[in-house]
Amino acid sequence: MGKRARRKGIEPDDSVRELAGLGPAAAGKAEPAVTDPADDTVALEPDGRLREVSLLVEEVDYVYQLYRWIILTGSVPKAQEWLKKEPWPHPDYVIDVFGSWEKFLAHAHVTTSPLLARLRAADAAEKDVAAGRKQVEKELARVEDLRRQVQTARLAREAAEAARGDERSRADRLQRALDAAETRAAAAEARLHERTAALDAAAAAGPDTAADERAAALADELDAVRAHREELLRQAEELREQAVQDAKTINRLSTVLAEQGDAGASAEGADASGGPDAGADPPATVAEAVERAAASAQALRFTDDAFTSAADSPYRRPAEILETLRTLDELAVLHADPDGFGRSLTQAATERGLTYKHDVSETARSRHPHEYSTTVDGHRVDLGPHVALGSGSGAGFIARIYLHVADGSGDVPRGMYVGHVGRHLPDTTT
């Protein structure tokens, strides 16, 4: 109807003309009717009300199409959408009638429609529900991951406890062997003393080659027994150190297991309340562990050599490095007090479960002076105090953290400085 109808060559019907107040004679040609030239009657002019009625009909038609679109699609159309869809009026025709697309929508009272407002609110609520569902699914996946981590930590703790039991049994066996060796050594020494006394007496009476040979054999046996005892003592000491490391590992795993259990419980509570998780993943490398420790440190300071050595370290348990550095930061806070804190750093570190050595040997320092030094604020300082990590052999299983502990009397301020993290520095055994 309207412009769209006229452009297709369709004329308004008689009813429209009657609405405009025209008689049947106006339904013919578009040109004005003329009388006989001989007649003095003036020619009829087109009535302007026909154009007005046509515009009104076009407005009604376009508004009807607008409401129809809203009912079918549930949304307010844009001009481009009617441009692409053939059954709908061309947007240019609508703009010709109403002046603009916005005036067209305002004329139909679409912008203030409470029905569309409720529809938009329903769409927003549906999006919120979908987002909440995704968040719940994400939290459930995270809780499941935490449960797997807890299970892994529990299995690791059980394996460590089993290994500790095996090491304890082995230590008991070695202790029994050591006691037996000491008994044999004491008996051999007693026999040697007896033989020596007998030989002294025989020597006074005259030479005896057979007795000398027996004495030499007994001395050799005694030396062998002593060497065996020394070996057993060394093995027993190693087993004791290994047992201490295993105990620390089990305690650490128990702590991690408890923390992850609490995190899992917190995550389940967060699922119910929709709260976010504040936890962080463990570091993947020693370098990442050092960076995270340096970022959160209160008093512990890190040199450039600490980051360089950490980047070169292949140690397989970077989370242990991060935990140890945070413990050292606690010690650095205590050490920052010039009046002291009631005990030595070695004692405080041992109480916190660290294998802390207050210095390295002078032989190692004299043989490798460059290795056991670092730079702090442009000043060269020595490294000595260190923490031992891991057990076994190889840089992937053992690590060291070397420190410089300044009392404030030298070139650098009082504090604890990390100079090396990672590989074991060379000493008298390497």
Side-chain angles (χ1 to χ4, degrees):
M1 183 165 301
K3 282 182 178 291
R4 181 178 53 170
R6 288 195 300 277
R7 291 181 187 240
K8 292 183 179 179
I10 303 174
E11 293 294 332
D13 55 16
D14 293 340
S15 60
V16 174
R17 295 183 177 277
E18 292 175 0
L19 286 174
L22 301 176
K29 296 180 181 179
E31 291 79 12
V34 244
T35 60
D36 187 352
D39 192 355
D40 294 335
T41 306
V42 180
L44 295 176
E45 297 293 334
D47 194 335
R49 289 179 296 172
L50 178 60
R51 172 61 178 167
E52 181 180 354
V53 171
S54 298
L55 292 175
L56 291 174
V57 172
E58 283 183 310
E59 290 180 3
V60 171
D61 179 41
Y62 296 153
V63 171
Y64 160 73
Q65 297 293 345
L66 173 63
Y67 290 162
R68 179 168 168 264
W69 171 281
I70 294 175
I71 292 174
L72 293 177
T73 64
S75 63
V76 178
K78 298 179 180 179
Q80 294 83 357
E81 292 176 324
W82 277 16
L83 181 63
K84 298 177 182 178
K85 299 183 181 296
E86 183 64 27
W88 305 97
H90 196 283
D92 291 345
Y93 305 159
V94 177
I95 293 174
D96 285 344
V97 173
F98 291 93
S100 69
W101 190 263
E102 290 73 18
K103 292 180 180 179
F104 170 49
L105 299 179
H107 177 79
H109 301 287
V110 169
T111 56
T112 59
S113 170
L115 177 61
L116 290 178
R118 287 194 294 270
L119 182 61
R120 286 191 292 268
D123 290 340
E126 184 178 357
K127 291 179 181 178
D128 292 341
V129 170
R133 185 181 296 108
K134 290 182 179 179
Q135 181 66 23
V136 169
E137 292 175 354
K138 184 185 299 183
E139 293 296 335
L140 289 176
R142 189 179 58 81
V143 169
E144 187 61 28
D145 183 61
L146 285 174
R147 287 174 179 167
R148 286 195 296 270
Q149 293 181 16
V150 169
Q151 181 65 20
T152 301
R154 184 180 292 110
L155 293 176
R157 185 180 66 177
E158 293 174 355
E161 290 177 347
R164 184 176 66 171
D166 294 340
E167 295 295 339
R168 186 181 291 112
S169 300
R170 184 183 173 193
D172 292 339
R173 291 195 300 271
L174 287 175
Q175 186 64 44
R176 289 193 295 270
L178 178 61
D179 295 339
E182 290 178 346
T183 302
R184 288 172 53 198
E189 288 178 354
R191 289 197 300 273
L192 180 60
H193 288 307
E194 292 176 0
R195 293 293 184 180
T196 303
L199 288 173
D200 292 340
D208 187 351
T209 304
D212 292 340
E213 292 177 354
R214 288 194 299 272
L218 286 174
D220 293 339
E221 181 183 359
L222 180 59
D223 292 339
V225 170
R226 286 174 176 169
H228 182 61
R229 184 180 67 174
E230 292 298 328
E231 177 64 20
L232 290 175
L233 286 172
R234 186 186 64 78
Q235 294 181 8
E237 184 63 25
E238 290 180 355
L239 286 174
R240 290 192 187 99
E241 292 182 358
Q242 183 64 38
V244 172
Q245 293 294 333
D246 290 342
K248 292 179 181 178
T249 301
I250 290 174
N251 292 335
R252 184 171 60 255
L253 287 172
S254 300
T255 302
V256 172
L257 182 62
E259 291 176 353
Q260 289 181 342
D262 294 341
S266 301
E268 291 177 357
D271 292 335
S273 60
D277 176 30
D281 295 333
T285 62
V286 175
E288 182 183 352
V290 172
E291 290 174 358
R292 288 169 59 173
S296 61
Q298 301 180 45
L300 190 65
R301 293 187 58 184
F302 292 78
T303 65
D304 293 339
D305 290 339
F307 295 99
T308 304
S309 57
D312 183 53
S313 174
Y315 190 57
R316 298 184 178 182
R317 295 194 291 271
E320 187 177 7
I321 296 284
L322 177 59
E323 180 183 355
T324 303
L325 289 173
R326 287 175 174 170
T327 304
L328 288 174
D329 185 41
E330 297 175 2
L331 296 177
V333 173
L334 298 176
H335 177 71
D337 185 2
D339 297 331
F341 53 95
R343 56 193 183 280
S344 65
L345 276 176
T346 303
Q347 182 181 359
T350 304
E351 290 175 356
R352 285 166 171 77
L354 300 181
T355 305
Y356 182 86
K357 304 295 183 181
H358 72 280
D359 205 351
V360 297
S361 66
E362 288 299 328
T363 304
R365 192 187 304 277
S366 61
R367 288 183 180 178
H368 310 280
H370 181 73
E371 299 290 343
Y372 287 95
S373 64
T374 189
T375 302
V376 176
D377 297 334
H379 301 286
R380 201 70 184 173
V381 297
D382 293 333
L383 297 177
H386 59 279
V387 178
L389 299 171
S391 60
S393 61
F397 298 95
I398 60 173
R400 295 291 186 271
I401 300 176
Y402 292 89
L403 307 167
H404 174 74
V405 180
D407 58 4
S409 61
D411 296 327
V412 298
R414 181 182 181 88
M416 294 176 63
Y417 301 85
V418 180
H420 178 92
V421 180
R423 298 178 184 271
H424 193 306
L425 292 179
D427 55 16
T428 55
T429 63
T430 57

